[in-house]
Amino acid sequence: MTTVLKNAAQLVGVFGADERRRRGAAMASPGVIEGGALVMSYGHIDWLGPTANLPPLPHDAEVIDVSGQVVLPGFVDSHTHLLFAGSREGEFEQRLRGASYQEITARGGGIMSTVRSVREKTREELKELARPRLKRLLQFGVTTVEVKSGYGLSTADERKCLEAVAELNQEQPVELVPTFLGAHAVPAEYGDRRHEYVRLLLDDMLPDVAQNRLAVFCDVFCETGVFSLSESERILDRARDLGLQLKLHADELTPLGGAELAARLGAVSADHLLCVTEAGIDALAESPTVATLLPGTAFFLGLPYAPARKLIERGVTVALASDCNPGTCPTENLPLVGSMACTQMGMLPGEVVTALTLNAAAALRRSDRVGALAAGRQADVIVCDAPNYAHLFYHFGVNHVRRVYKRGRAVHPV
Ligand code: IZC
Ligand code: ZN
């Protein structure tokens, strides 16, 4: 089956066939073909170029005129906690009255509040709760999404969550990439016996996840009062020995040195970085570790944003993601996160496109397959009702996405 999109105002995200990431000044120019056409068949992009140069097509090809619209690679959301139960409006209000995220956590709220809700749910119930979130992500143009565990915090409950992610991956079009985040918090029942929980992570949970291939990545919430730098290193070392790739919640609320640790361990990404230091930026610039920025979280918590301009100017590979989660960023609107990146972090619209496509795919080690309009790439493609790509972030808060193709198949609308 062949589908052709022709007369696009712009094809955007036309990266090189061998290009796996884009850094520095080049991030601002996400490859544009004006008046472009794109041919998809059998799940892959076959050809793209000016509409006037379209090659001969099979007689049964479906040809769609997308005049006045822009075509991009499906967005990749490389950091979410979207498998959860319950909601945390109460904390939202407490924060608006002046309490901090850390104070709410100390009172037994925060992550543990969601953990209590998730432990009460079955795998089926968790899937049912996640389906509408995945549908909203798809409607906002997301075709690949990373999903973290971390609201189970026991071997059985973490497994329940990761099995739910595996089953959701089979039944709906958004491709899910599972991450084990058993080191999201020390669960309340461990009290001051935190070393026992770290032992459980090392000796029981991580081997269970690895043996049963429940996750691709292992992540740790490395933060003052959560997991220290040395605990994070022990957990990530063990994860790497067991064959998992590494991610890190780094320098989100305090400058602990997470960026340096992520770079030193060869983590695929270091995420958040609101409080990253100069030394942390240097470490990232000299490493292949992707800096994944989550401005929706700074927006929702009312915190200063990550230094995106500095990171880009120093040559760090920068990606953007939603952080979709019930505590610190309850949204699936990834293009709106792109608008925040522009207005709050000074990123240019072209940089935002690169950060939501090629570099976000690099943050999941999938930029050989998705995140670009290039012949041979998987045909994950979106069509947006906008005259140019800047418009996507300029006219903010509305949904410009009109069509979504996953592996060449129309999945929205269906
Ligand atoms: O549920 O609060 N920061 N993890 C690390 C979160 C925020 C999610 C949550
Ligand atoms: Zn997170």
Side-chain angles (χ1 to χ4, degrees):
M1 182 57 197
T2 299
T3 304
V4 182
L5 305 174
K6 69 170 189 183
N7 295 325
Q10 298 180 327
L11 302 181
V12 185
V14 183
F15 298 110
D18 297 324
E19 207 173 341
R20 299 288 178 263
R21 58 175 66 220
R22 204 169 259 208
R23 305 178 186 237
M27 268 189 78
S29 308
V32 175
I33 298 175
E34 309 276 343
L38 179 136
V39 181
M40 306 180 257
S41 59
Y42 298 102
H44 288 82
I45 298 172
D46 256 6
W47 182 93
L48 70 171
T51 301
N53 300 353
L54 256 177
L57 298 168
H59 62 89
D60 61 348
E62 183 186 17
V63 180
I64 301 170
D65 191 300
V66 292
S67 299
Q69 302 186 305
V70 293
V71 175
L72 299 103
F75 295 131
V76 176
D77 192 347
S78 69
H79 183 138
T80 83
H81 308 246
L82 70 76
L83 194 86
F84 63 86
S87 63
R88 285 160 47 190
E89 298 88 340
E91 289 174 21
F92 177 48
E93 191 157 336
Q94 287 174 42
R95 273 203 312 279
L96 296 174
R97 292 179 187 277
S100 70
Y101 180 75
Q102 293 97 318
E103 283 161 358
I104 291 165
T105 301
R107 288 179 206 152
I111 292 167
M112 274 318 291
S113 137
T114 303
V115 169
R116 286 188 291 275
S117 305
V118 165
R119 286 178 175 174
E120 284 172 6
K121 299 290 182 197
T122 63
R123 194 172 72 213
E124 286 303 322
E125 288 169 332
L126 289 169
K127 283 161 59 182
E128 192 58 31
L129 290 165
R131 283 183 188 114
R133 297 174 197 139
L134 291 170
K135 189 167 178 201
R136 279 193 290 273
L137 277 168
L138 182 71
Q139 289 168 345
F140 280 118
V142 174
T143 49
T144 299
V145 62
E146 185 252 19
V147 185
K148 299 177 197 297
S149 68
Y151 293 128
L153 307 190
S154 71
T155 307
D157 287 304
E158 286 292 297
R159 175 194 269 255
K160 173 178 75 180
C161 293
L162 290 170
E163 285 175 348
V165 173
E167 290 177 11
L168 286 165
N169 189 36
Q170 295 301 316
E171 66 164 53
Q172 53 78 56
V174 183
E175 210 170 324
L176 307 187
V177 182
T179 294
F180 172 65
L181 180 58
H184 195 193
V186 176
E189 64 270 20
Y190 282 81
D192 57 7
R193 295 173 297 117
R194 55 180 305 112
H195 58 282
E196 284 183 28
Y197 186 64
V198 174
R199 275 256 72 84
L200 182 78
L201 279 164
L202 299 175
D203 296 347
D204 200 50
M205 296 168 91
L206 273 167
D208 186 58
V209 168
Q211 272 157 28
N212 295 294
R213 298 183 182 278
L214 293 171
V216 175
F217 291 97
C218 175
D219 191 349
V220 176
F221 188 14
C222 177
E223 183 57 67
T224 306
V226 192
F227 290 93
S228 69
L229 269 184
S230 67
E231 287 167 341
S232 302
E233 180 163 358
R234 282 172 70 203
I235 295 162
L236 293 176
D237 272 340
R238 179 87 173 116
R240 188 175 44 199
D241 289 346
L242 289 165
L244 293 160
Q245 297 175 51
L246 311 182
K247 289 183 167 284
L248 192 65
H249 281 67
D251 304 317
E252 176 181 359
L253 305 170
T254 56
L256 210 57
E260 294 91 317
L261 178 65
R264 183 158 61 76
L265 297 180
V268 176
S269 71
D271 300 35
H272 283 293
L273 303 170
L274 274 61
C275 300
V276 67
T277 61
E278 288 295 319
I281 296 175
D282 285 339
L284 292 173
E286 288 159 17
S287 78
T289 301
V290 177
T292 298
L293 308 184
L294 310 157
T297 306
F299 169 81
F300 194 69
L301 293 179
L303 295 174
Y305 290 77
R309 283 259 55 86
K310 231 184 212 178
L311 289 160
I312 292 171
E313 279 152 23
R314 301 267 273 275
V316 177
T317 306
V318 172
L320 287 164
S322 73
D323 198 20
C324 176
N325 81 76
T328 62
C329 198
T331 187
E332 296 90 357
N333 191 337
L334 191 58
L336 176 60
V337 168
S339 296
M340 293 174 190
C342 294
T343 63
Q344 306 303 302
M345 302 198 299
M347 285 177 70
L348 300 169
E351 291 170 337
V352 171
V353 169
T354 305
L356 289 175
T357 58
L358 187 69
N359 288 359
L364 296 180
R365 283 249 187 126
R366 292 198 176 198
S367 54
D368 57 332
R369 191 144 71 70
V370 299
L373 299 184
R377 287 292 215 289
Q378 192 167 296
D380 294 2
V381 173
I382 63 174
V383 180
C384 299
D385 192 9
N388 54 64
Y389 66 80
H391 194 94
L392 300 173
F393 312 112
Y394 153 81
H395 185 180
F396 68 93
V398 301
N399 193 351
H400 300 282
V401 177
R402 291 294 173 272
R403 296 172 186 271
V404 181
Y405 295 88
K406 181 70 188 176
R407 298 191 183 93
R409 200 165 58 84
V411 290
H412 170 68
V414 281

